[in-house]
Amino acid sequence: MKGMDKQMTVKKKSDFLCDDFIFYLAGILIVLGIKCYYSRADCDSLRWILAPTTWWVGFLSRIPFTYISGTGYVNHDLRLLIAPSCSGVRFMVITFATIFFSFVHMIALPQKSVLSDSAENLWGNSVTPVFGNVKAKRNGHIKESAEKRTEENVVKSIKVKLKKKVKKNTHIRKRVKGLGWLVVSALLSWLFTVLVNGLRIMIAIYLPMYLENAGLMKGVLTQDRLHTMIGVVVYFIALLTIYRLIGWFVRRTVENDFMDGGDNMGTHESADNDTDTCGKPSLLTFMCKCAPPVFWYFVLTLGLPFLSRAGRDGTAEFTEFAVLVTGCCGFLLLPYVTMTLLCGKKHERNIRRRAVKSSSGNPEKQYDTGKTSC
């Protein structure tokens, strides 16, 4: 039995990889394609993202910008320039990868109600004429070899055909959903990039002015390092927030779809908590929740640039950049993890209190409450 279960698990994994491979391949090609396009694009080629970003910055700051071909959006009075390097395309690629690759397998899940309806329709349309043919066969309208076929064999053959048809329809629906999520992820990443990048530019305009007036722009804190730190902090916080927001929406959507199909979504409810099944805070569970955005941020911010810079000059500059990025991200994750663990401990204490109250009020349920409170 264990060997059969293992074979079934391997088969499910192989089917999953084969079904979703086209989605992951399309996502990887889009990421690499945008990276290649951005490395060769000028400001005229990036107006599709520079124009709305500049409008958003002007709306927030009331600072007018003028577009100069080959240069970017300029404000001569304040000596400000929104150039292609300020477009936020890198953040858009990171956001797209985080949104698409993290949830495409959930979006492409077939609904049970859809599968059951398809099976019933196919069964109703297919079984009646087949059994009509069987009755005709029994009346002597066909050869003797066909008359020996039993109804059980006919039913088995019908079920095989139905399974093939349902599987084909499921693959079509799954691919439509996956490709639809590909388009939605691209649109959402563009929208979030415009909003977040506009806020980053706003902070990059006013914060250096404030620090210079306060006399803090000295020594280690230079303009370039401050600009890098602002970008890392704003982008990383936004990426974590976007991931949790999209994850919440996707899980609720999938949960409602399965509830409509009569399925139990208790696993999805438990997945939303940062605690394990016993109510205890799980650092591993929390890190798994943060792993996709952190992974894609570091891979696309440090990994690919490191590979492209291999054997070139500028190693010291890249090392300084990598240290700043890692330090800022670690500084942001530390209080995030701490708050989660504190909330998890509070949740554990509340569970124990409820367990004690229920066990004292109803001794017959003492075993169950003890199991719940671990």
Side-chain angles (χ1 to χ4, degrees):
M1 292 297 292
K2 292 183 178 179
M4 293 179 63
D5 294 340
K6 187 175 181 180
Q7 291 179 358
M8 290 295 293
T9 304
V10 173
K11 186 177 184 300
K12 288 181 179 179
K13 289 182 179 179
S14 62
D15 292 342
F16 168 77
L17 292 176
C18 292
D19 293 340
D20 294 344
F21 177 75
I22 186 174
F23 304 140
Y24 294 114
L25 179 61
I28 292 173
L29 291 177
I30 289 178
V31 169
L32 296 178
I34 295 177
K35 293 284 289 184
C36 182
Y37 169 80
Y38 177 67
S39 64
R40 294 174 172 83
D42 55 5
C43 60
D44 295 329
S45 303
L46 295 174
R47 291 194 68 179
W48 54 273
I49 192 169
L50 282 175
T53 302
T54 305
W55 176 88
W56 177 235
V57 173
F59 176 81
L60 295 176
S61 63
R62 302 301 178 183
I63 298 176
F65 289 90
T66 303
Y67 180 74
I68 298 177
S69 180
T71 303
Y73 289 87
V74 181
N75 182 282
H76 295 285
D77 296 334
L78 298 176
R79 301 179 64 182
L80 298 176
L81 173 63
I82 300 180
S85 59
C86 305
S87 62
V89 174
R90 293 186 184 126
F91 178 72
M92 187 184 73
V93 173
I94 297 171
T95 305
F96 169 79
T98 302
I99 294 176
F100 179 74
F101 291 111
S102 300
F103 305 110
V104 65
H105 64 283
M106 298 176 64
I107 293 294
L109 278 175
Q111 302 177 17
K112 264 199 168 183
S113 58
V114 174
L115 294 178
S116 60
D117 293 342
S118 300
E120 290 176 1
N121 294 333
L122 289 173
W123 183 269
N125 295 332
S126 302
V127 173
T128 303
V130 171
F131 275 105
N133 292 334
V134 172
K135 292 180 180 179
K137 293 173 185 178
R138 289 182 175 178
N139 291 330
H141 295 291
I142 58 174
K143 296 180 181 180
E144 183 179 355
S145 60
E147 293 178 355
K148 295 181 180 179
R149 298 180 59 187
T150 61
E151 291 186 3
E152 293 181 357
N153 294 331
V154 174
V155 170
K156 289 181 180 179
S157 62
I158 293 174
K159 287 183 177 181
V160 171
K161 294 180 180 179
L162 290 177
K163 286 182 179 180
K164 292 181 179 179
K165 291 182 179 180
V166 171
K167 188 175 181 180
K168 182 179 179 180
N169 293 336
T170 302
H171 284 316
I172 294 175
R173 290 190 178 95
K174 188 173 183 179
R175 290 183 178 179
V176 170
K177 285 184 177 182
L179 295 177
W181 183 244
L182 184 72
V183 176
V184 171
S185 300
L187 294 176
L188 288 176
S189 62
W190 176 85
L191 178 62
F192 284 128
T193 299
V194 171
L195 297 176
V196 174
N197 193 34
L199 296 176
R200 181 196 67 83
I201 294 174
M202 281 282 298
I203 297 174
I205 291 174
Y206 290 106
L207 183 59
M209 296 180 182
Y210 173 78
L211 294 178
E212 285 182 357
N213 294 332
L216 299 177
M217 294 292 294
K218 297 178 181 179
V220 179
L221 188 60
T222 61
Q223 287 282 354
D224 293 337
R225 290 173 181 171
L226 178 62
H227 188 78
T228 301
M229 292 170 64
I230 291 173
V232 172
V233 171
V234 173
Y235 285 152
F236 194 69
I237 292 176
L239 189 65
L240 292 175
T241 305
I242 291 169
Y243 174 74
R244 296 302 295 266
L245 179 64
I246 298 297
W248 178 86
F249 177 77
V250 169
R251 289 186 182 92
R252 291 299 181 275
T253 303
V254 174
E255 179 180 351
N256 292 333
D257 291 340
F258 272 82
M259 288 297 289
D260 293 339
D263 214 2
N264 187 6
M265 290 297 296
T267 55
H268 290 275
E269 293 176 358
S270 61
D272 290 337
N273 299 325
D274 290 327
T275 57
D276 57 11
T277 56
C278 297
K280 298 179 180 180
S282 174
L283 181 60
L284 180 60
T285 302
F286 171 77
M287 294 306 296
C288 290
K289 286 178 175 290
C290 292
V294 173
F295 170 79
W296 288 113
Y297 186 83
F298 277 91
V299 166
L300 297 176
T301 304
L302 299 179
L304 292 183
F306 173 78
L307 295 177
S308 63
R309 288 174 178 265
R312 299 181 183 178
D313 297 333
T315 306
E317 296 178 358
F318 180 78
T319 303
E320 180 181 347
F321 174 74
V323 171
L324 280 176
V325 170
T326 306
C328 291
C329 293
F331 181 78
L332 293 173
L333 283 177
L334 183 60
Y336 199 34
V337 174
T338 304
M339 289 295 296
T340 301
L341 293 179
L342 291 177
C343 293
K345 290 181 180 179
K346 183 178 180 180
H347 179 69
E348 179 187 1
R349 288 195 297 268
N350 293 334
I351 290 179
R352 289 181 177 177
R353 289 173 185 172
R354 289 197 297 267
V356 171
K357 289 181 181 179
S358 60
S359 62
S360 60
N362 190 358
E364 294 180 357
K365 294 184 178 181
Q366 187 172 1
Y367 175 77
D368 295 334
T369 56
K371 184 177 180 181
T372 303
S373 61
C374 295

